[in-house]
């Protein structure tokens, strides 16, 4: 797996955005679950 390109192709950038938002949602759920747990 190559180091992140400074100038990624369109598909790669789209993939990065999708993966980043998925990770952000996962972290958000984890924080909410930690706060909600007794």
């Amino acid at each position: 797996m190559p180091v992140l390109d400074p100038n990624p192709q369109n598909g790669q950038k789209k993939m990065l955005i999708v993966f980043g938002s998925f990770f952000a949602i996962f972290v958000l759920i984890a924080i909410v679950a930690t706060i909600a747990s007794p």
Side-chain angles (χ1 to χ4, degrees), residues 3-38:
V3 182
L4 275 179
D5 271 333
N7 234 342
Q9 275 144 358
N10 216 18
Q12 202 176 352
K13 196 184 285 182
K14 198 176 182 182
M15 195 91 156
L16 213 76
I17 292 169
V18 170
F19 194 77
S21 58
F22 181 79
F23 187 74
I25 292 167
F26 181 79
V27 170
L28 217 87
I29 292 171
I31 292 170
V32 170
T34 305
I35 294 169
S37 68

